[in-house]
Amino acid sequence: KAGVTQTPRYLIKTRGQQVTLSCSPISGHRSVSWYQQTPGQGLQFLFEYFSETQRNKGNFPGRFSGRQFSNSRSEMNVSTLELGDSALYLCASSPWVRETQYFGPGTRLLVL
Amino acid sequence: SQQGEEDPQALSIQEGENATMNCSYKTSINNLQWYRQNSGRGLVHLILIRSNEREKHSGRLRVTLDTSKKSSSLLIMASRAADTASYFCATILAQGGSEKLVFGKGTKLTVNP
């Protein structure tokens, strides 16, 4: 099976812009989770989608949003970018959130 | 708040030696997972141990779980330079009607050839 893919792999934006990141899960996986990784805060859970519904949400401001499509592909959007949003954004898929997460390579976002 | 905390934060060993890293967590769990991350890349799942298991093996890896102490350890036997990576434990945290997979800050392992 093909692994989790994320696009784009690298992105440079300026403060105030918005960005959309995409994630294609492993075929058959219905759960997609997003994480933000920074040197200071480590890996932090953003949200999880299952069958097009947001099931769980982390402690991030409303500027961070996401959605899942009927084919389980997911997008996350960050509006009004801040310098502190510079991070590696990781997507993971699994049959169910309590089980093994399969991670994509990540999208590295730099906000200038 | 951090659910899992790895110890030590960094570990440097010689090839062929064993590496042990520990994870402590705060709340009751269904399972505990260990992941590896090579520099700046996605995480790779290593092993999942359920709350009713005490020990689990996978190749050169051995994971133990002590639910009474809320701790787990990951042992990498006969380490190789390719094992150089950061290792994270992760558990499910239920909070405010939501569940999330929470990672510790990780142990950075360097295996010197």
Side-chain angles (χ1 to χ4, degrees), chain B residues 69-84:
Chain B
K69 295 181 179 178
K70 290 187 170 60
S71 68
S72 173
S73 68
L74 170 67
L75 167 67
I76 304 174
M77 293 177 277
S79 62
R80 304 166 182 168
D83 294 327
T84 295

Side-chain angles (χ1 to χ4, degrees), chain A residues 1-20:
Chain A
K1 280 187 181 178
V4 177
T5 58
Q6 291 186 246
T7 56
R9 294 292 311 278
Y10 303 92
L11 206 48
I12 300 175
K13 291 285 188 178
T14 56
R15 276 181 300 174
Q17 287 187 311
Q18 69 146 17
V19 66
T20 299

Side-chain angles (χ1 to χ4, degrees), chain A residues 82-95:
Chain A
E82 300 176 0
L83 295 179
D85 297 333
S86 294
L88 181 66
Y89 289 88
L90 293 162
C91 166
S93 77
S94 70

Side-chain angles (χ1 to χ4, degrees), chain A residues 35 37 40-43 45 48 55-59 88 90 97-106 108, chain B residues 2 30-31 33 35 37 40-45 48 50 88 92 95 97-101 103-105:
Chain A
Y35 299 84
Q37 187 177 31
Q41 298 299 316
L43 271 158
F45 172 80
E48 185 232 348
R55 288 189 65 252
N56 296 294
K57 192 176 188 303
N59 300 323
L88 181 66
L90 293 162
V97 72
R98 287 171 175 262
E99 301 297 324
T100 299
Q101 300 275 298
Y102 296 86
F103 282 81
R108 188 165 294 282
Chain B
Q2 216 65 32
N30 289 307
N31 64 58
Q33 304 175 40
Y35 289 83
Q37 184 179 35
R41 299 186 182 179
L43 279 73
V44 174
H45 179 259
L48 180 154
R50 301 190 186 279
F88 298 88
I92 298 290
Q95 198 173 50
S98 186
E99 287 187 338
K100 56 184 179 180
L101 189 63
F103 290 82
K105 295 247 176 186

